[in-house]
Amino acid sequence: MRRHLILVGLPGSGKSTVGRLLAELLEVRFVDLDEYIVARHGRSIERIFEEQGEPAFRELERREMERVLEAPASVVSPGGGWAAQPGALEAAAGRGFVIYLEADPATAARRAVPPGTRPLLRGADPVARLRALLDARAGFYERADVTLATQSRTPVEIATQAVELARSRAGW
């Protein structure tokens, strides 16, 4: 049975870019969970954070991810903090094959453009913010089924390797 392919990692690690390519290669639906939330709720992630705060957003994210996991297998890119929420990885177990796209904070900051569009990266030093996020989340990311280094690799190379993993380890 095919399982969802769930890409986790820092903002800017390539989840959306690689996810779209991976879905295209596997000929399945791609779900960017942030875009999915915006479409379903009619408000930007930034606005949800401003109006309701991060805890309310994380609960909304958890519920919407559950909805996505109930659908046929797809490639899913949740926000960078989804995996670090209590019970998130456990809730996806059995229905998802989790791939950690590992990127160092400097590389992720360069990729997370345009600047200022990600609520948790606002401030004078996005690299420092990403370092702090990685320190807080690394233990969760490392619980993924597999880790793919993204340094010095193109999105196509990463997606191609992910296809091989999907076929050999996730029932594709």
Side-chain angles (χ1 to χ4, degrees):
M1 183 173 129
R2 286 184 178 181
R3 294 186 283 162
H4 293 275
L5 301 176
I6 303 170
L7 306 178
V8 300
L10 287 174
S13 63
K15 297 182 302 294
S16 293
T17 301
V18 170
R20 282 184 177 84
L21 290 167
L22 180 55
E24 185 178 314
L25 291 169
L26 292 171
E27 299 179 344
V28 296
R29 179 174 81 139
F30 171 69
V31 179
D32 179 303
L33 193 60
D34 284 351
E35 291 176 4
Y36 183 83
I37 289 169
V38 169
R40 284 191 37 83
H41 296 273
R43 293 183 296 161
S44 69
I45 301 303
E46 178 181 29
R47 189 166 169 205
I48 295 169
F49 262 77
E50 288 173 0
E51 293 176 354
Q52 296 179 286
E54 185 176 359
F57 170 74
R58 296 298 176 196
E59 175 57 25
L60 177 63
E61 181 182 51
R62 183 197 62 73
R63 286 193 321 262
E64 296 301 344
M65 181 62 143
E66 185 61 34
R67 179 185 297 275
V68 169
L69 292 176
E70 291 172 0
S74 60
V75 176
V76 184
S77 170
W82 170 81
Q85 301 312 304
L89 292 169
E90 293 79 7
R95 297 181 290 172
F97 182 77
V98 180
I99 300 171
Y100 170 31
L101 298 183
E102 184 179 45
D104 69 69
T107 299
R110 266 193 323 277
R111 292 176 180 164
V113 291
T117 59
R118 300 178 191 231
L120 293 180
L121 297 186
R122 287 213 178 99
D125 189 351
V127 175
R129 285 290 301 138
L130 283 164
R131 263 192 217 103
L133 287 174
L134 183 57
D135 287 346
R137 297 173 178 174
F140 294 98
Y141 293 157
E142 291 165 359
R143 290 172 41 203
D145 296 301
V146 68
T147 298
L148 295 181
T150 65
Q151 304 305 99
S152 304
R153 297 179 68 207
T154 69
V156 171
E157 290 170 332
I158 299 162
T160 300
Q161 185 178 5
V163 166
E164 292 169 11
L165 288 166
R167 290 187 174 141
S168 67
R169 297 185 52 194
W172 287 83

